[in-house]
Coordinates of all heavy atoms in Angstrom, one line a residue:
G1 N 0.8 -1.2 0.0 CA 0.0 0.0 0.0 C 0.8 1.3 0.0 O 0.4 2.3 0.5
L2 N 2.0 1.2 -0.6 CA 2.9 2.3 -0.6 C 3.1 2.8 -2.0 O 4.3 3.1 -2.4 CB 4.3 1.9 0.0 CG 4.2 1.4 1.5 CD1 5.6 0.8 1.9 CD2 3.8 2.6 2.4
E3 N 2.1 3.0 -2.7 CA 2.2 3.3 -4.1 C 2.8 4.7 -4.3 O 3.6 4.9 -5.2 CB 0.8 3.4 -4.8 CG 0.8 3.7 -6.2 CD 0.4 2.5 -7.1 OE1 0.0 1.5 -6.6 OE2 0.6 2.6 -8.3
E4 N 2.4 5.7 -3.5 CA 3.0 7.0 -3.6 C 4.5 7.0 -3.3 O 5.3 7.7 -4.0 CB 2.3 8.0 -2.6 CG 2.8 9.4 -2.9 CD 2.1 10.4 -2.0 OE1 1.0 10.1 -1.5 OE2 2.6 11.6 -1.9
A5 N 4.9 6.2 -2.4 CA 6.4 6.1 -2.1 C 7.1 5.5 -3.3 O 8.2 5.9 -3.6 CB 6.6 5.2 -0.8
Y6 N 6.5 4.5 -3.9 CA 7.1 4.0 -5.1 C 7.2 5.0 -6.2 O 8.2 5.0 -6.9 CB 6.3 2.7 -5.6 CG 6.8 2.2 -6.9 CD1 8.1 1.7 -7.0 CD2 6.1 2.3 -8.1 CE1 8.6 1.2 -8.2 CE2 6.6 1.8 -9.3 CZ 7.9 1.3 -9.3 OH 8.4 0.8 -10.5
Q7 N 6.2 5.8 -6.4 CA 6.2 6.9 -7.4 C 7.4 7.8 -7.2 O 8.0 8.3 -8.1 CB 4.9 7.6 -7.5 CG 3.7 6.7 -8.1 CD 4.0 6.3 -9.5 OE1 4.7 6.9 -10.3 NE2 3.4 5.2 -9.9
Q8 N 7.6 8.1 -5.9 CA 8.7 9.0 -5.5 C 10.0 8.4 -5.8 O 10.9 9.0 -6.4 CB 8.6 9.4 -4.0 CG 7.4 10.3 -3.7 CD 7.2 10.5 -2.2 OE1 8.0 10.0 -1.4 NE2 6.2 11.2 -1.9
Y9 N 10.2 7.1 -5.5 CA 11.4 6.4 -5.8 C 11.6 6.3 -7.3 O 12.7 6.6 -7.8 CB 11.2 4.9 -5.3 CG 12.2 3.9 -5.9 CD1 13.5 3.9 -5.4 CD2 11.8 3.1 -6.9 CE1 14.4 3.0 -6.0 CE2 12.7 2.2 -7.4 CZ 14.0 2.1 -7.0 OH 14.9 1.2 -7.5
K10 N 10.6 6.1 -8.1 CA 10.6 6.0 -9.5 C 11.1 7.4 -10.1 O 11.8 7.4 -11.1 CB 9.3 5.6 -10.1 CG 9.3 5.2 -11.5 CD 8.0 4.6 -11.9 CE 7.9 4.4 -13.4 NZ 6.6 4.0 -13.8
A11 N 10.6 8.5 -9.5 CA 10.9 9.8 -10.0 C 12.4 10.0 -9.9 O 13.0 10.6 -10.8 CB 10.2 10.9 -9.2
L12 N 13.0 9.6 -8.8 CA 14.5 9.7 -8.7 C 15.2 8.8 -9.7 O 16.2 9.3 -10.2 CB 14.9 9.2 -7.3 CG 14.3 10.0 -6.1 CD1 14.7 9.4 -4.8 CD2 14.8 11.5 -6.2
Q13 N 14.7 7.7 -10.1 CA 15.3 6.8 -11.0 C 15.2 7.2 -12.4 O 16.2 6.9 -13.2 CB 14.7 5.4 -10.8 CG 14.9 4.8 -9.4 CD 16.3 4.7 -9.0 OE1 17.1 4.2 -9.7 NE2 16.6 5.2 -7.8
I14 N 14.2 7.9 -12.8 CA 14.0 8.2 -14.2 C 14.5 9.6 -14.6 O 14.4 10.0 -15.8 CB 12.5 8.1 -14.7 CG1 11.6 9.1 -14.0 CG2 12.0 6.6 -14.4 CD1 10.2 9.1 -14.5
W15 N 15.0 10.4 -13.7 CA 15.5 11.7 -13.9 C 16.3 11.8 -15.2 O 16.1 12.6 -16.1 CB 16.2 12.3 -12.7 CG 16.8 13.6 -13.0 CD1 18.1 13.9 -13.3 CD2 16.2 14.9 -13.1 NE1 18.4 15.2 -13.5 CE2 17.2 15.9 -13.4 CE3 14.9 15.3 -12.9 CZ2 16.9 17.2 -13.5 CZ3 14.6 16.7 -13.1 CH2 15.6 17.6 -13.3
D16 N 17.4 11.0 -15.2 CA 18.3 11.0 -16.3 C 17.7 10.8 -17.7 O 17.9 11.4 -18.7 CB 19.5 10.0 -16.1 CG 20.4 10.4 -15.0 OD1 20.2 11.5 -14.5 OD2 21.3 9.6 -14.7
S17 N 16.8 9.8 -17.7 CA 16.1 9.5 -19.0 C 15.1 10.5 -19.4 O 14.9 10.8 -20.6 CB 15.5 8.1 -18.9 OG 14.4 8.1 -18.0
V18 N 14.5 11.2 -18.5 CA 13.5 12.2 -18.8 C 14.2 13.5 -19.3 O 13.8 14.1 -20.3 CB 12.6 12.6 -17.6 CG1 11.8 13.8 -17.8 CG2 11.7 11.4 -17.3
V19 N 15.3 13.9 -18.7 CA 15.9 15.2 -19.0 C 17.0 15.0 -20.1 O 17.4 16.0 -20.8 CB 16.6 15.9 -17.8 CG1 15.5 16.3 -16.8 CG2 17.7 15.1 -17.2
G20 N 17.5 13.8 -20.4 CA 18.5 13.6 -21.4 C 19.9 13.7 -20.9 O 20.1 14.1 -19.8
D21 N 20.8 13.2 -21.7 CA 22.2 13.1 -21.3 C 22.9 14.4 -20.9 O 23.6 14.5 -19.9 CB 23.0 12.4 -22.4 CG 22.7 10.9 -22.5 OD1 22.2 10.3 -21.6 OD2 22.9 10.4 -23.6
V22 N 22.7 15.4 -21.7 CA 23.3 16.7 -21.4 C 23.0 17.3 -20.1 O 23.8 17.7 -19.3 CB 23.0 17.7 -22.6 CG1 23.6 19.1 -22.3 CG2 23.5 17.2 -23.9
I23 N 21.7 17.4 -19.8 CA 21.2 17.9 -18.5 C 21.6 16.9 -17.4 O 22.0 17.4 -16.3 CB 19.7 18.2 -18.5 CG1 19.4 19.3 -19.5 CG2 19.2 18.5 -17.1 CD1 18.0 19.6 -19.7
A24 N 21.5 15.6 -17.6 CA 21.8 14.6 -16.6 C 23.3 14.8 -16.1 O 23.6 14.6 -15.0 CB 21.6 13.2 -17.1
K25 N 24.2 15.1 -17.1 CA 25.6 15.3 -16.7 C 25.8 16.6 -15.9 O 26.8 16.6 -15.2 CB 26.4 15.3 -18.0 CG 26.6 14.0 -18.6 CD 27.4 14.0 -19.9 CE 27.4 12.7 -20.6 NZ 28.1 12.7 -21.8
A26 N 24.9 17.5 -16.0 CA 25.1 18.8 -15.3 C 24.3 18.8 -13.9 O 24.3 19.8 -13.2 CB 24.6 19.9 -16.1
T27 N 23.6 17.7 -13.6 CA 22.8 17.7 -12.4 C 23.0 16.4 -11.6 O 23.4 15.4 -12.2 CB 21.3 17.8 -12.8 OG1 20.9 16.7 -13.7 CG2 20.9 19.1 -13.5
V28 N 22.6 16.5 -10.4 CA 22.6 15.3 -9.5 C 21.3 15.4 -8.7 O 20.9 16.4 -8.1 CB 23.8 15.3 -8.5 CG1 23.7 14.2 -7.5 CG2 25.1 15.3 -9.2
V29 N 20.5 14.3 -8.7 CA 19.3 14.2 -7.9 C 19.7 14.0 -6.5 O 20.4 13.1 -6.1 CB 18.4 13.0 -8.4 CG1 17.2 12.9 -7.6 CG2 18.1 13.2 -9.9
E30 N 19.2 14.9 -5.6 CA 19.5 14.8 -4.2 C 18.4 14.1 -3.4 O 18.7 13.1 -2.7 CB 19.8 16.1 -3.6 CG 21.1 16.7 -4.1 CD 21.5 17.9 -3.3 OE1 20.6 18.6 -2.7 OE2 22.7 18.2 -3.2
Q31 N 17.2 14.5 -3.5 CA 16.1 13.9 -2.7 C 14.8 14.3 -3.2 O 14.7 15.2 -4.0 CB 16.2 14.3 -1.2 CG 15.9 15.8 -0.9 CD 15.9 16.1 0.6 OE1 16.3 15.2 1.4 NE2 15.6 17.3 0.9
F32 N 13.8 13.6 -2.8 CA 12.4 13.9 -3.1 C 11.6 13.9 -1.8 O 11.6 12.9 -1.1 CB 11.9 12.8 -4.0 CG 10.5 13.1 -4.6 CD1 10.0 14.4 -4.7 CD2 9.7 12.1 -5.1 CE1 8.8 14.7 -5.3 CE2 8.5 12.4 -5.7 CZ 8.0 13.7 -5.8
S33 N 11.0 15.0 -1.5 CA 10.3 15.2 -0.2 C 9.1 16.0 -0.4 O 9.1 17.1 -0.9 CB 11.2 15.8 0.8 OG 10.6 16.0 2.0
Q34 N 7.9 15.5 0.0 CA 6.7 16.2 0.0 C 6.3 16.9 -1.3 O 5.9 18.0 -1.4 CB 6.6 17.3 1.1 CG 6.8 16.7 2.5 CD 6.9 17.7 3.6 OE1 7.0 18.9 3.3 NE2 6.9 17.3 4.8
G35 N 6.6 16.1 -2.4 CA 6.2 16.6 -3.7 C 7.3 17.4 -4.4 O 7.1 17.9 -5.5
Q36 N 8.4 17.7 -3.7 CA 9.4 18.5 -4.2 C 10.7 17.7 -4.5 O 11.2 17.0 -3.7 CB 9.8 19.6 -3.2 CG 8.8 20.6 -2.9 CD 9.2 21.7 -1.9 OE1 9.8 21.4 -1.0 NE2 8.8 22.9 -2.2
L37 N 11.2 17.8 -5.7 CA 12.3 17.1 -6.2 C 13.5 18.1 -6.1 O 13.5 19.2 -6.7 CB 12.1 16.6 -7.6 CG 13.2 15.8 -8.2 CD1 13.5 14.5 -7.4 CD2 12.8 15.4 -9.7
F38 N 14.5 17.8 -5.3 CA 15.7 18.6 -5.1 C 16.8 18.1 -6.0 O 17.3 17.0 -5.9 CB 16.1 18.6 -3.7 CG 15.1 19.2 -2.7 CD1 14.1 18.5 -2.2 CD2 15.2 20.6 -2.4 CE1 13.2 19.1 -1.4 CE2 14.3 21.2 -1.6 CZ 13.3 20.4 -1.1
I39 N 17.3 19.1 -6.9 CA 18.3 18.8 -7.8 C 19.5 19.7 -7.6 O 19.4 20.9 -7.6 CB 17.8 19.0 -9.3 CG1 16.5 18.2 -9.5 CG2 18.9 18.6 -10.3 CD1 16.7 16.7 -9.5
R40 N 20.7 19.1 -7.5 CA 21.9 19.9 -7.4 C 22.4 20.1 -8.8 O 22.5 19.2 -9.6 CB 23.0 19.2 -6.6 CG 24.3 20.1 -6.5 CD 25.2 19.7 -5.4 NE 24.6 19.7 -4.1 CZ 24.3 20.8 -3.3 NH1 24.6 22.0 -3.8 NH2 23.8 20.6 -2.1
V41 N 22.8 21.4 -9.1 CA 23.1 21.8 -10.5 C 24.6 22.2 -10.5 O 25.1 22.7 -9.5 CB 22.3 23.0 -11.0 CG1 22.6 23.4 -12.4 CG2 20.8 22.6 -10.8
K42 N 25.3 21.9 -11.6 CA 26.7 22.1 -11.8 C 27.1 23.5 -11.5 O 28.1 23.8 -10.9 CB 27.1 21.7 -13.2 CG 28.5 21.6 -13.5 CD 28.7 21.0 -14.9 CE 30.1 20.9 -15.3 NZ 30.2 20.3 -16.6
N43 N 26.4 24.5 -12.1 CA 26.7 25.9 -11.9 C 25.5 26.8 -12.0 O 24.4 26.3 -12.4 CB 27.9 26.3 -12.8 CG 27.5 26.1 -14.3 OD1 26.4 26.4 -14.7 ND2 28.5 25.5 -15.0
S44 N 25.7 28.1 -11.8 CA 24.6 29.0 -11.8 C 24.0 29.2 -13.3 O 22.8 29.4 -13.4 CB 25.0 30.4 -11.3 OG 26.0 30.9 -12.1
S45 N 24.8 29.0 -14.3 CA 24.2 29.1 -15.6 C 23.3 28.0 -15.9 O 22.2 28.2 -16.5 CB 25.4 29.0 -16.7 OG 26.3 30.1 -16.5
W46 N 23.6 26.8 -15.5 CA 22.7 25.6 -15.7 C 21.5 25.8 -14.8 O 20.4 25.5 -15.2 CB 23.4 24.3 -15.3 CG 24.1 23.7 -16.5 CD1 25.4 23.5 -16.7 CD2 23.4 23.1 -17.6 NE1 25.6 22.9 -17.9 CE2 24.4 22.6 -18.4 CE3 22.1 22.9 -17.9 CZ2 24.1 21.9 -19.6 CZ3 21.8 22.3 -19.1 CH2 22.8 21.8 -20.0
R47 N 21.6 26.3 -13.6 CA 20.5 26.6 -12.7 C 19.5 27.5 -13.4 O 18.3 27.2 -13.4 CB 20.9 27.1 -11.4 CG 19.8 27.2 -10.4 CD 20.2 27.5 -9.0 NE 21.0 28.7 -8.9 CZ 22.3 28.7 -8.5 NH1 22.9 27.6 -8.1 NH2 23.0 29.8 -8.5
M48 N 20.0 28.6 -14.0 CA 19.1 29.5 -14.7 C 18.4 28.8 -15.9 O 17.2 29.0 -16.1 CB 19.9 30.7 -15.2 CG 19.0 31.8 -15.8 SD 17.8 32.5 -14.7 CE 18.8 33.5 -13.7

């Protein structure tokens, strides 16, 4: 009965395939909490 938890887990796993190789190389998935996905970005240009 943890379907939402699985969806959150899956969101972390599919990040690279959804955004593509170029963005995936410039980002790191940190965590997913309360509907918010936290992504660490290589630099401020990429963040913008």
